[in-house]
């Protein structure tokens, strides 16, 4: 019924409790999850989960915040994208939140890494899973420069764990992207984000946990896992004036549409 479009089940705090988490998912009617790659080094673990379980899928990518890891080449991404149950390219994007004394100009390595992921997505026609934090202008600009405008040849994708303004959401929608909301949407101080969720059309919304992070209310502060994604759906239902079941149905259909042709 529910689909968690972004989680990190390979992380130690989750994989060590996977049997319990899977039972909790079934009880919560969370039928599928997309396990996200953040480095090439951890991709084998991500892919192993997708191939071991029929309701998990995988992506391949290197998170923009990860330094001191294997730098992905275009061929690295293309080769791994051919593997069974790999359905997306990412997590990729830009993150200027922690510059650690550097300037935005110093982050050219991030921008080049992002471009490589975009080109891999276009060549494979797999959607991008995009992370953007304190960098939305450059994120949108690079997508446009690389031809991600929703036209033929675009890979498309999703702004995951969205925390930006309605203007950024509108820019993403104009590029043909989906917008994914996490447990942050349930936080007391997140009214501005709930206003964005109210603005985004229902046929362009995904839901996610980004677990093990960002557990939604009433589990805030705990280790997050995919069984908590219905709380995100419930919050969207409240701002949209819909039933939670309707949100579950719509976001699962959106997930299937975004990853059409590769999900089975």
């Amino acid at each position: 019924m529910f689909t968690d479009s972004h989680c990190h089940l390979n992380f130690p705090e989750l994989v060590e409790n996977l049997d319990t988490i899977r039972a909790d998912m079934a009880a919560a009617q969370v039928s599928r999850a997309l396990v996200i790659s953040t480095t090439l080094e951890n991709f084998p673990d991500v892919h192993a989960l997708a191939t071991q379980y029929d309701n998990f899928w995988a992506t391949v990518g290197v998170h923009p915040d990860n330094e001191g890891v294997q730098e992905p080449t275009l061929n690295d991404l293309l080769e791994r994208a051919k593997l069974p149950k790999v359905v997306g390219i990412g997590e990729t994007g830009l993150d200027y939140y922690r510059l650690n004394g550097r300037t935005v100009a110093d982050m050219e390595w991030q921008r080049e890494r992002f471009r490589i992921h975009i080109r891999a997505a276009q060549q494979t026609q797999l959607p991008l899973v995009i992370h953007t934090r304190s960098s939305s202008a450059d994120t949108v600009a690079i997508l446009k420069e690389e031809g991600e405008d929703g036209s033929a040849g675009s890979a498309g994708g999703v702004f995951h764990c969205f925390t930006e303004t309605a203007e950024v959401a509108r820019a993403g929608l104009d590029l043909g992207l989906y917008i994914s909301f996490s447990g942050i949407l349930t936080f007391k101080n997140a009214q501005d984000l709930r206003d964005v969720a109210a603005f985004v059309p229902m046929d362009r919304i995904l839901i996610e946990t980004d677990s093990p992070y960002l557990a939604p209310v009433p589990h805030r502060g705990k280790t997050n896992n995919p069984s908590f994604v219905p709380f995100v759906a419930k919050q969207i239902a409240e701002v949209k004036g819909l039933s939670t079941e309707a949100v579950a149905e719509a976001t699962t259909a959106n997930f299937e549409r975004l990853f059409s042709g590769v999900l089975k």
Side-chain angles (χ1 to χ4, degrees):
M1 183 178 181
F2 298 94
T3 299
D4 185 354
S5 68
H6 192 113
C7 60
H8 300 282
L9 284 172
N10 60 303
F11 283 20
E13 55 266 55
L14 296 183
V15 75
E16 292 170 0
N17 299 293
L18 194 57
D19 289 345
T20 299
I21 289 170
R22 285 180 57 79
D24 290 344
M25 288 173 64
Q29 297 184 288
V30 181
S31 57
R32 293 187 294 195
L34 181 57
V35 188
I36 303 295
S37 169
T38 58
T39 67
L40 294 181
E41 289 88 343
N42 74 24
F43 172 76
D45 295 332
V46 170
H47 189 242
L49 288 170
T51 55
Q52 183 174 355
Y53 298 101
D54 62 1
N55 62 335
F56 292 165
W57 284 264
T59 67
V60 58
V62 180
H63 190 289
D65 231 7
N66 281 331
E67 300 184 62
V69 298
Q70 182 181 343
E71 195 63 35
T73 66
L74 180 60
N75 190 61
D76 287 332
L77 299 175
L78 295 177
E79 288 301 309
R80 289 161 178 81
K82 294 176 184 176
L83 295 172
K85 298 196 77 177
V86 177
V87 300
I89 303 295
E91 179 171 355
T92 184
L94 301 175
D95 193 321
Y96 299 160
Y97 183 70
R98 296 184 184 88
L99 293 175
N100 296 322
R102 295 170 293 190
T103 68
V104 168
D106 294 328
M107 307 306 283
E108 181 58 29
W109 60 274
Q110 267 196 13
R111 292 185 285 275
E112 182 56 29
R113 181 188 284 179
F114 186 26
R115 292 180 190 278
I116 288 170
H117 282 78
I118 295 170
R119 293 163 192 169
Q122 291 170 342
Q123 289 193 33
T124 59
Q125 283 299 287
L126 296 179
L128 290 155
V129 177
I130 303 166
H131 169 111
T132 182
R133 191 177 188 192
S134 303
S135 57
S136 58
D138 279 0
T139 301
V140 170
I142 288 173
L143 286 165
K144 290 179 178 178
E145 289 168 11
E146 293 292 331
E148 282 300 308
D149 55 7
S151 62
S154 295
V158 55
F159 273 149
H160 107 90
C161 194
F162 194 81
T163 57
E164 304 289 340
T165 64
E167 288 71 26
V168 177
R170 184 179 293 108
L173 294 170
D174 288 346
L175 296 179
L177 300 177
Y178 289 73
I179 309 294
S180 182
F181 295 99
S182 72
I184 294 173
L185 197 68
T186 70
F187 294 178
K188 183 178 180 180
N189 62 352
Q191 185 56 51
D192 287 350
L193 188 60
R194 287 188 283 275
D195 292 341
V196 174
F199 157 75
V200 177
M202 196 62 242
D203 64 356
R204 301 287 283 280
I205 292 177
L206 299 182
I207 55 175
E208 65 173 271
T209 59
D210 202 13
S211 49
Y213 312 114
L214 305 173
V217 174
H219 299 289
R220 189 173 183 182
K222 299 179 181 178
T223 300
N224 201 3
N225 75 76
S227 74
F228 292 166
V229 81
F231 293 102
V232 183
K234 180 176 183 291
Q235 185 66 76
I236 291 173
E238 290 179 8
V239 302
K240 292 286 193 184
L242 300 170
S243 68
T244 302
E245 292 75 17
V247 172
E249 181 179 351
T251 53
T252 290
N254 295 343
F255 181 81
E256 292 172 350
R257 189 182 313 113
L258 177 59
F259 297 101
S260 62
V262 288
L263 278 179
K264 295 180 181 178

